[in-house]
């Protein structure tokens, strides 16, 4: 370094960054693809100077120097351009000449990615790859006292209910009297969690909708998908495929103008309406769609101007109390569809979940409760919310379930768990564990992006730039140059693969437990864990 | 696996008949216990049809406690059979002081009770006695109900019946249910022995209910004091039937639709599709799982048999007008009714409920795909 170089506090070197680029001069053909593809513009063309010492043989001539230059790639060190480890450079390099490597110690970038006083924002999940769900084992195995079932040959009933289920006495009475019985949907217990049109690219959305339709109409799995907060494309609203869609309404009410206007023209009812009060990734904070992604189409669907950030308020502004939120909002949503569509709230897991649950239990029509744990994903949020706010899902769902058991309403108000399911790839095992802890079903979004579209994000902070619209896979971008990378047909196909394999794995779990006639909701006697305190906390078996 | 045997006959018969049938099927049980339910009683109990009968095992101390308690409630003894087993007991059978079967006269004020209230009070007395006996194990109470006797004991069924001298005329009955137990738990608790009984409804099972824990949680949270105990995963079968009959007012034909509902495909063409779909949803927590053959008896003395969804356990019904047998295996049936028309034997499959009503004329087969009684779905 030259003595007069100005070093600012945020002047970083490559070593200070979380991801460092290993570039191989000998393999590089200088094609420039890596620099072109890099979403962070982290790579630039570099001219390197090289001194070559040429000592001649013998003593006659003195040694000589020559100075050469060569071309290559250099990694930028400005915080805005720091490599995020996405690996796209590696993907496009014809010669495998480049690869991001994770630093061997805590990086220094973390102290500087708040330039201009704006804290770090990003997408993805909480940066913590561990979790309790993977440690739960299924320990009750049928063998001789009752024959194990055959996951491949026996028939399994694995659907679940979404909707307010009345107690049997009341249901039979209303049937006799031909009274109103709340609508209940029989759906597949793995729900594609709310990822909005806007957060996701049009190709990703299209692919997911196609996949869901195929699963329902060709495979026979009644899979449903939540829209997230961002409305729904007008043609989908007026199509017969709306029945596979859960319309989400959240505090920004984005897209609801369009939905309300489409009401008279809807051919079928949506599967359900989800009122989002909270999200596991950023509890207590509203949705966020950053300006980068608000293009003409998104602006039209959401009914907003182009190119402005869209932060939803942290709470529904018109509601000042839980009773009001539960009663008024649920009721008005029910009313909008003539009491034919189940309406339920989604909250972020919190130590106050039980209070919400109890209010819902007293409300006669609330159709369920979705709880999103701290490991839930998001398209955009403040890093501090993602990494530090929220409640783990396992104990939250367990407490809620056991509370329902106590008041005898465990069949009446279905609980749906979300947040970190399949975080380490074990989707079916995590889902089954939560179901046996008491969830009626699970929601996942991030896993779907990873499995169906090849999302590169990870909990060791790889990529996670979904918020700025430069998703290198075209999953969370509104830039046609990027989202054209994603073929909707292929997304649909991968989604079907994902659900089929999930279904097989779920059967491989429930069959040895001797369960096939119904989804084993609350079958906690099948669960064990090698941590005494966790076992106590979750009321499951302690096994070592 | 356990072995089950039940018989209903115009002619009263002895518990020994059932014990012998279980003995024929001994390969299927390890002689670790036997449970007997006698109903539609003859002999001295014939004239006491309305008097509640208490059945249980007592120590001398327990007996005194019982007398004090019952006297305080205002019950007076009408008739009793006290069985004192000879000493010493054969190997494998514990030594007990008294097996008591006692018919009571209701307290005066009970006569004005509605039948529902009376049933609930009888249940309460049984549960109280059971709780009182828990600490010192001096009272084990199996049933307290008119026209019903229950005896349960550890040991080989035939040996127990002979040792206790149950082949006696006071214990002749027209309906007997018996289970020979295969112990799958280590400690044997008599409260875990089948048949299970609640307010005139009894069931016994050969199987394993893998959905036990959620069902137990559901029943326990119904707010009905009788849904308790659950020393055995099979006890819920009796309680589900009780819930369906007493709380929901559904006939036996609906029982199978609750414990093993039809799938969507099977329901597609069913005349009661709407009703059944609602029933499946609203009673979802009562769906059973695992291999189970259930034999049961209703307050009207009808006997029935149902199988689990996959029909994983054996079970056969056969006989002739006036006498029908429900048995785990054909050899048990052969042992009792060798001369029946075997071509008419019936093995209920995964959709069937086989019912013999108290007139004992025929085996009525009810398939889940058939329409339900009209009154139900109106
Ligand atoms: S890994 Fe991704 S962000 Fe890093 S240099 Fe390569 S393309 Fe750019
Ligand atoms: S690949 Fe796209 S969706 Fe996945 S973490 Fe990166 S930016 Fe987000």
């Amino acid at each position: 370094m030259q003595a007069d170089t100005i070093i600012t506090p945020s002047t970083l070197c490559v070593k200070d960054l979380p991801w460092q680029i290993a570039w191989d001069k000998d393999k590089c053909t200088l094609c420039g693809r890596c620099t072109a593809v890099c979403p962070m513009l982290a790579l630039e063309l570099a001219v390197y100077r090289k001194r070559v010492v040429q000592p001649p043989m013998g003593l006659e001539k003195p040694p000589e120097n020559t100075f050469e230059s060569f071309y290559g790639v250099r990694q930028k060190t400005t915080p805005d351009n720091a490599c995020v480890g996405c690996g796209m450079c590696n993907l496009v390099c014809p010669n495998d000449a480049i690869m991001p490597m994770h630093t061997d110690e805590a990086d220094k970038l973390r102290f500087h990615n708040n330039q201009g006083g704006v804290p770090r924002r990003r997408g993805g999940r909480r940066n913590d790859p561990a979790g309790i769900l993977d440690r739960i084992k299924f320990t009750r195995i049928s063998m001789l006292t009752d024959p194990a079932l055959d996951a491949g040959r026996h028939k399994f009933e694995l659907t679940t209910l979404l909707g307010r289920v009345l107690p049997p006495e009341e249901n039979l009475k209303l049937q006799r009297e031909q009274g109103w019985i709340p609508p209940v949907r029989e759906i597949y217990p793995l729900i594609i969690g709310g990822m909005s049109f806007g957060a996701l690219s049009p190709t990703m959305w299209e692919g997911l909708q196609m996949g869901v339709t195929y699963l329902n109409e060709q495979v026979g799995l009644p899979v449903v998908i939540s829209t997230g907060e961002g409305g729904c494309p007008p043609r989908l609203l007026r199509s017969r495929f709306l029945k596979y869609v859960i319309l989400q309404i959240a505090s920004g009410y984005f897209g609801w103008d369009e939905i309300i206007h489409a009401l008279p023209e809807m051919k079928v009812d949506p599967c359900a309406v989800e009122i989002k009060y909270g999200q596991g990734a950023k509890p207590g904070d509203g949705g966020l769609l950053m300006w980068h992604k608000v293009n003409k189409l998104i602006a039209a669907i959401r009914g907003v101007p182009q190119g402005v950030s869209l932060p939803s308020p942290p709470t529904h502004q018109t509601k000042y109390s839980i009773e009001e939120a539960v009663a008024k909002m649920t009721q008005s949503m029910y009313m909008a569809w003539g009491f034919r569509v189940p309406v339920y709230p989604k909250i972020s897991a919190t130590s106050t979940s039980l209070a919400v649950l109890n209010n819902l239990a007293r409300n006669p029509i609330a159709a369920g409760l979705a709880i999103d744990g701290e490991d839930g994903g998001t398209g955009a949020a403040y890093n501090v919310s993602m990494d530090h706010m929220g409640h783990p899902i396992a104990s939250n769902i367990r407490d809620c379930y056991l509370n329902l058991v106590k008041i005898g309403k465990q069949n009446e108000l279905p609980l749906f768990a979300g947040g970190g399911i399949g975080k380490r790839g074990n989707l079916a095992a995590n889902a089954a564990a939560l179901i046996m802890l008491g969830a009626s079903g699970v929601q996942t979004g991030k896993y779907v992006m990873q499995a169906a579209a090849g999302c590169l994000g990870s909990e060791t902070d790889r990529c996670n730039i979904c918020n700025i619209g430069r998703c290198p896979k075209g999953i969370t971008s509104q830039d046609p140059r990027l989202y054209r990378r994603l073929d909707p047909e292929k997304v649909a196909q991968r989604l079907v693969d994902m659900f089929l394999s999930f279904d097989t794995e779920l059967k491989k779990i429930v069959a040895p437990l001797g369960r096939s006639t119904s989804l084993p909701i609350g079958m906690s006697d099948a669960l064990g864990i090698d941590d005494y305190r966790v076992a106590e906390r979750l009321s499951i078996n302690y096994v070592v | 696996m356990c072995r089950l045997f039940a018989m209903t006959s115009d002619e009263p018969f002895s518990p020994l008949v059932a014990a012998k049938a279980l003995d024929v099927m001994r390969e299927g049980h390890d002689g670790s216990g036997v449970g007997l339910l006698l109903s539609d009683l003859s002999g001295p109990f014939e004239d006491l049809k309305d008097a509640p009968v208490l059945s249980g095992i007592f120590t001398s101390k327990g007996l005194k406690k019982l007398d004090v308690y019952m006297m305080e409630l205002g019950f007076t003894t009408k008739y009793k059979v006290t069985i004192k087993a000879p000493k010493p007991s054969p190997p494998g059978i514990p030594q007990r002081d008294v097996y008591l079967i006692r018919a009571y006269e209701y307290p005066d004020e009970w006569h004005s009770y509605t039948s529902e209230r009376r049933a609930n009070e009888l249940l309460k007395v049984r549960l109280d006695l059971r709780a009182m006996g828990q600490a010192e194990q001096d009272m084990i109470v199996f049933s307290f109900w008119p026209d019903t006797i229950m005896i349960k004991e550890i040991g080989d069924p035939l040996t127990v019946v002979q040792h206790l001298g149950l082949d006696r005329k006071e214990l002749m009955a027209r309906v007997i249910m018996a289970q020979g137990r295969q112990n799958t738990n280590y400690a044997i608790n008599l409260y875990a022995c089948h048949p299970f009984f609640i307010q005139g409804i009894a069931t016994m099972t050969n199987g394993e209910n893998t959905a036990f824990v959620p069902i137990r949680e559901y029943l326990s949270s119904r707010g009905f004091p009788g849904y308790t105990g659950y020393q055995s995963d099979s006890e819920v079968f009796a309680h589900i039937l009780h819930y369906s009959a007493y709380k929901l007012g559904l006939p036996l034909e609906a029982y199978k639709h609750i414990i093993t509902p039809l799938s969507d495909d099977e329901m597609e063409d069913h005349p009661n599709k709407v009703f059944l779909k609602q029933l499946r949803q609203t009673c979802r927590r009562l769906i059973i799982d695992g291999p189970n053959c259930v034999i049961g008896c209703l307050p009207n003395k009808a006997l029935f048999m149902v199988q689990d969804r996959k029909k994983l356990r054996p079970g056969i019904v056969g006989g002739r007008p006036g006498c029908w047998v429900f048995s785990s295996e054909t050899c048990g049936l052969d042992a009792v009714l060798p001369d029946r028309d075997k071509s008419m034997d019936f093995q209920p499959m995964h959709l069937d409920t086989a019912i013999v009503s108290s007139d004992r004329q025929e085996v009525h087969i009810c398939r889940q795909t058939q329409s339900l009684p009209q009154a139900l779905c109106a």
Side-chain angles (χ1 to χ4, degrees), chain A residues 446 449 455-457 463-466 471-473 475-476:
Chain A
K446 185 70 176 175
M449 302 207 304
C455 160
L456 305 161
C463 199
N464 291 347
I465 50 165
C466 333
C471 171
K473 287 299 193 86
I475 304 165
T476 56

Side-chain angles (χ1 to χ4, degrees), chain A residues 115-189:
Chain A
Q115 301 293 315
V118 182
R120 182 180 179 205
R121 288 168 294 188
R122 64 177 179 92
R125 288 196 186 113
R126 195 165 71 99
N127 275 323
D128 179 1
I132 206 80
L133 293 179
D134 283 316
R135 291 172 56 200
I136 296 179
K137 311 165 210 263
F138 308 98
T139 52
R140 189 214 173 280
I141 308 298
S142 298
M143 253 170 303
L144 293 167
T145 54
D146 59 305
L149 299 168
D150 187 330
R153 295 188 187 83
H154 277 125
K155 269 190 155 184
F156 289 80
E157 287 294 333
L158 296 175
T159 55
T160 194
L161 303 181
L162 168 59
R164 187 55 168 260
V165 183
L166 296 178
E169 291 88 342
E170 211 172 311
N171 177 291
L172 294 181
K173 179 168 166 274
L174 284 168
Q175 281 201 68
R176 277 193 300 273
E177 296 169 356
Q178 307 202 327
W180 178 75
I181 294 175
V184 174
R185 309 282 194 239
E186 291 192 14
I187 60 168
Y188 198 70

